[in-house]
Amino acid sequence: MSSPVSYRLEGSIGVITVDYPPVNALSQPVRKGLLDTVSAAQNDASAALVILCAGRTFIAGADITEFGKPLKSPWLPELLAAIEASGKIVIAAIHGTALGGGFETALSAHYRCALASARIGLPEVKLGLLPGAGGTQRTPRLAGVQASLDLITSGTPISATEGKALGLIDRIIDGDLREGAIAWANELVAEGAPVRKSSEQPVPEFDPGIFDAYRTEVARRARGQIAPGHIVNCVEAAATQSFEAGMAIERAAFTECMDSPQSAGMRHIFFAERTAAKVEGLAKDTPIRPVATVGVIGGGTMGGGIAMSFANAGIAVTMIEINDEALQRGLSIIDRNYGGSVKRGKLSESDAAACRALISGSTDYAALADVDLVIEAVFEDPELKKTIFKKLDGVCKPGAILATNTSYQDVDAIAAVTNRAEDVIGMHFFSPAHIMKLLEVVRGAKTADDVLATVMALAKKIRKVPVVSGVCYGFIGNRMLRPYGETAQLLLLEGASPQQIDNAMESWGMAMGPLRVFDLAGLDVGYKARQALSDDEKGDPKTYRIPDLLVELGRMGQKSGTGFYTYDENRRAKPDPAVDGLIEIAAEDLGVERRSIKDEEIVDRLISALVDEGRKILAEGIAQRSSDIDVVYVYGYGFPASRGGPMFYADNR
Ligand code: 3HC
Ligand code: NAI
């Protein structure tokens, strides 16, 4: 096999090109090719070396598929030491994304240039890791302590222009990167620019108190993850010790993280997310229908967020509401949300205005005549949804995709009221829809392959993580939530308090405990749904007696200020002795003996409830694969990525 690294002398500049699709990851052949080429170039006619990449991106990181396997020589720190030690100046020329080990490679070069569109970053923390090839040591020497802590503990990439302001990038290239980089290399040679090693730069002045402050902050934010604390220690070492000592500290911390179950879980989720986007049995060349305009029906909690998700991706949206008042209410919530994003610095005023301008409203379904996709997000009422789909069948152009955001209803029954069941699909967003990453894509019995392929591709465009689900009550996520919630009710009756259950689950890593989730969603929603069921359908009264009693006392959750907890004006939950009393009465009434319950039992039973239902979902073919269920829970339900999702956790404990 030929090497993924090639070399060509362009005048007096040695151009080293990495060509290793899809993302030029630093697999062993790339590391070896770079080491051999940089070493050989020390003895040729070149005056300077430029490292750049072919394809869509600069090196996007170490090869994650090699993690957890025996190291193969040359290892990355060794390669980067060799690049930095080059007697000829080395210039990294960046396009696309220089991430992780890729950005560390650029840091080991003596100069860095980039296209303005490029992004740089150290996202290792998102894999439960820290930069393991000098990133924690070289970055602070160029960008200072504060910026490095921000960059490495968040893992969020920054633009090349921001990188330039921080001293991480020296020059932004306009036009062709290769030409621009070679021209700049010639300039540097002509100026006699020195070999400038990042490892030898002094760390700019810093406030010595910053490390303790940061340690406290990441301990709060990282909820039990070990990598963020290690990152602070490594950056502190960079600022207070020699480069060599700092590298040794980084190496030890990196190894500890790499061997941890946390990183194994997060790496599993990285690949699970990408695997979920692939649909078994769907041909790779399935045609995609163009989607340039979208209609959203209903401008409530979900409709507004869905409209924003499309507008944020540059796609025009028409929102339909029942009357002008409802439409104005829906549009003004969107205005408020964009205003909030501007205030928090997430969007510039002009970008927010451009996105907002893409959303228009109407009370007339005729406005949907030409849209390529419609997403229905009206009340969760099956008859209303069917009426709307009949209307859409009459109004929409042939080939338009008709989607429902229903949480529970039968997508096939909705499709059956139209004369185009093949164009109907479920697109189940999560609240708040402009923020939550998960999109359950519900494939009906008759959904056409190209409709499914189009929605999967579109999901990526609007920056969602799609997971295919078959049709069943609640699809993957909400169906699993039912036994989870019911188990929480049993635990309450048996002796645990709401706060013990929630605290146990949150300490274990869930973003929010189950009872706080129910209070947030509104206890009246489940209550109303139960009212429509027969006693048989409702199941064991032990699984719903407490929430029924709460609703009957007017305790609907956060919206009424009381539920499983009492809420203060800042929506902070406080335990309420009245709830404890009510639970005791319910337990006595239902003949449940109360006892003291350990936190481990709470976690064990709740997670087992999820996993048992997950296994059924898998056996029934509702989910394509076990890892898809993990993606649903991590991206839609606040399950800790560091545990790899419920199925991964159960299989690896
Ligand atoms: N190693 C191995 N495979 C990788 C990879 C990596 N670092 N990055 C991406 N891939 C694979 C993906 O699994 C996917 O494979 P598939 O087509 O078989 O599913 C393919 O490359 C394309 O990836 P995406 O679908 O994610 O492509 P996008 O264009 O959407 O995104 C990207 C590109 C922004 C580079 C994104 O892939 C990404 O964020 N990659 C991970 C970057 C990262 O975390 N780097 C740090 C690695 S850890 C490290 O470097 C440690 C060091 O400090 C020692
Ligand atoms: P909502 O009550 O906030 O909004 C529904 C909106 O639909 C209202 O503004 C209403 O005026 C409008 N509407 C009703 N009939 C209409 C019609 N005939 N034409 C046009 N507009 C009409 O409801 P929400 O929460 O946004 O839920 C909508 C759908 O999304 C439901 O199916 C729900 O199950 C689903 N969903 C809800 C989630 C949530 O967390 N709220 C999460 C995921 C899905």
Side-chain angles (χ1 to χ4, degrees):
M1 202 178 86
S2 67
S3 171
V5 180
S6 61
Y7 182 73
R8 197 180 137 110
L9 211 50
E10 304 252 355
S12 62
I13 307 301
V15 179
I16 301 170
T17 305
V18 178
D19 187 1
Y20 195 64
V23 295
N24 294 312
L26 285 159
S27 309
Q28 192 271 344
V30 174
R31 298 196 301 273
K32 178 162 180 357
L34 274 170
L35 185 61
D36 290 350
T37 314
V38 170
S39 306
Q42 299 305 309
N43 304 312
D44 72 4
S46 61
L49 305 174
V50 169
I51 299 178
L52 47 73
C53 291
R56 66 202 223 212
T57 178
F58 191 77
I59 301 164
D63 180 346
I64 305 168
T65 61
E66 285 183 353
F67 289 177
K69 297 179 187 153
L71 279 178
K72 280 197 229 150
S73 172
W75 62 309
L76 191 56
E78 191 187 337
L79 163 65
L80 302 197
I83 294 175
E84 197 175 50
S86 164
K88 301 175 180 183
I89 57 169
V90 181
I91 296 135
I94 301 170
H95 75 293
T97 41
L99 300 177
F103 185 55
E104 289 174 300
T105 305
L107 289 173
S108 74
H110 308 125
Y111 298 90
R112 284 155 292 281
C113 62
L115 292 178
S117 58
R119 296 185 74 75
I120 57 173
L122 294 163
E124 286 87 344
V125 73
K126 295 185 177 169
L127 297 168
L129 296 171
L130 49 101
T136 65
Q137 302 304 299
R138 290 190 176 95
T139 314
R141 288 178 159 82
L142 300 181
V145 164
Q146 170 87 57
S148 303
L149 286 170
D150 291 347
L151 189 72
I152 311 176
T153 60
S154 74
T156 308
I158 56 174
S159 69
T161 340
E162 288 168 280
K164 180 157 186 293
L166 292 174
L168 294 167
I169 299 291
D170 301 296
R171 176 173 284 212
I172 300 290
I173 304 278
D174 288 329
D176 186 76
L177 180 66
R178 183 187 172 90
E179 263 173 38
I182 293 172
W184 186 42
N186 278 312
E187 269 176 50
L188 288 168
V189 170
E191 285 165 13
V195 160
R196 190 189 61 175
K197 298 182 182 175
S198 307
S199 64
E200 291 178 357
Q201 307 294 312
V203 173
E205 227 172 272
F206 58 93
D207 164 11
I210 190 171
F211 300 108
D212 281 342
Y214 231 97
R215 263 187 281 270
T216 311
E217 170 59 16
V218 296
R220 190 186 60 75
R221 239 192 308 146
R223 311 163 59 83
Q225 284 179 47
I226 57 171
H230 276 310
I231 291 169
V232 181
N233 297 344
C234 289
V235 173
E236 184 174 30
T240 56
Q241 301 190 39
S242 69
F243 179 74
E244 289 68 28
M247 285 297 281
I249 289 169
E250 181 191 87
R251 173 62 17 197
F254 181 78
T255 308
E256 186 187 327
C257 290
M258 180 66 89
D259 294 342
S260 71
Q262 294 185 356
S263 177
M266 292 167 97
R267 275 150 33 208
H268 164 72
I269 287 297
F270 177 86
F271 289 114
E273 173 188 336
R274 283 153 181 85
T275 307
K278 296 172 182 122
V279 186
E280 270 159 30
L282 198 66
K284 266 210 153 128
D285 56 356
T286 307
I288 302 283
R289 299 188 190 179
V291 177
T293 52
V294 171
V296 173
I297 308 182
T301 309
M302 295 306 291
I306 295 170
M308 287 175 72
S309 300
F310 284 96
N312 294 349
I315 299 174
V317 182
T318 306
M319 201 164 87
I320 303 285
E321 259 293 352
I322 28 175
N323 54 39
D324 284 333
E325 197 193 333
L327 183 59
Q328 285 322 315
R329 197 174 46 235
L331 292 173
S332 63
I333 295 173
I334 292 176
D335 286 336
R336 235 190 0 254
N337 282 339
Y338 276 124
S341 301
V342 172
K343 234 192 228 154
R344 287 194 305 278
K346 301 251 175 223
L347 263 185
S348 72
E349 211 151 310
S350 61
D351 285 349
C355 293
R356 176 62 187 83
L358 286 169
I359 304 175
S360 58
S362 175
T363 53
D364 184 356
Y365 277 65
L368 301 179
D370 289 322
V371 298
D372 302 310
L373 161 71
V374 181
I375 300 168
E376 165 279 310
V378 304
F379 308 130
E380 186 71 353
D381 169 350
E383 291 318 310
L384 176 61
K385 288 184 190 289
K386 285 180 192 160
T387 313
I388 288 175
F389 272 75
K390 264 190 211 144
K391 253 197 214 172
L392 292 177
D393 197 16
V395 163
C396 293
K397 67 182 181 187
I401 296 173
L402 310 182
T404 171
N405 181 48
T406 180
S407 306
Y408 290 96
Q409 303 308 320
D410 182 343
V411 174
D412 291 332
I414 294 173
V417 304
T418 70
N419 292 308
R420 37 170 126 177
E422 67 281 5
D423 293 339
V424 177
I425 193 165
M427 288 177 77
H428 184 215
F429 290 80
F430 288 70
S431 178
H434 59 299
I435 292 173
M436 294 293 286
K437 301 260 287 176
L438 180 65
L439 178 68
E440 275 184 324
V441 177
V442 186
R443 181 184 200 171
K446 295 194 175 155
T447 305
D449 281 0
D450 66 337
V451 169
L452 182 60
T454 302
V455 170
M456 296 302 281
L458 193 59
K460 191 155 186 193
K461 197 160 174 195
I462 60 169
R463 305 171 75 100
K464 300 292 176 200
V465 175
V467 176
V468 177
S469 171
V471 175
C472 67
Y473 190 73
F475 316 123
I476 298 172
N478 283 344
R479 172 166 159 184
M480 286 166 68
L481 206 55
R482 182 169 174 175
Y484 177 73
E486 290 178 348
T487 305
Q489 299 308 321
L490 295 177
L491 285 163
L492 286 174
L493 289 172
E494 289 171 31
S497 65
Q499 56 278 18
Q500 189 196 358
I501 294 177
D502 285 339
N503 291 347
M505 294 312 287
E506 287 166 20
S507 305
W508 187 79
M510 293 299 286
M512 206 186 245
L515 303 162
R516 278 193 248 277
V517 169
F518 290 132
D519 268 0
L520 183 66
L523 301 178
D524 53 322
V525 180
Y527 184 83
K528 268 189 218 137
R530 280 192 294 278
Q531 295 311 297
L533 301 177
S534 68
D535 279 353
D536 244 15
E537 286 168 330
K538 280 200 233 173
D540 185 347
K542 291 186 185 115
T543 59
Y544 59 82
R545 175 64 56 82
I546 300 166
D548 271 8
L549 288 173
L550 289 171
V551 172
E552 281 155 16
L553 287 170
R555 304 182 68 115
M556 314 287 180
Q558 275 200 24
K559 64 171 92 163
S560 67
T562 55
F564 283 103
Y565 297 90
T566 294
Y567 292 86
D568 65 17
E569 59 285 359
N570 298 317
R571 298 201 162 193
R572 263 193 306 255
K574 275 197 271 167
D576 188 337
V579 174
D580 298 335
L582 183 140
I583 294 171
E584 278 168 30
I585 293 168
E588 199 179 323
D589 187 34
L590 293 162
V592 182
E593 205 167 308
R594 290 173 59 77
R595 64 191 167 89
S596 126
I597 298 181
K598 290 211 165 69
D599 287 0
E600 296 79 51
E601 179 182 340
I602 292 174
V603 172
D604 199 50
R605 282 175 61 187
L606 284 168
I607 300 301
S608 298
L610 282 181
V611 172
D612 290 348
E613 196 64 29
R615 292 208 169 110
K616 285 183 205 155
I617 284 173
L618 208 53
E620 290 169 27
I622 295 295
Q624 297 188 86
R625 39 182 104 80
S626 165
S627 61
D628 283 11
I629 299 176
D630 291 330
V631 174
V632 166
Y633 262 74
V634 168
Y635 286 110
Y637 294 85
F639 196 98
S642 58
R643 306 259 186 201
M647 310 311 279
F648 180 85
Y649 175 73
D651 291 343
N652 290 279
R653 57 192 301 199

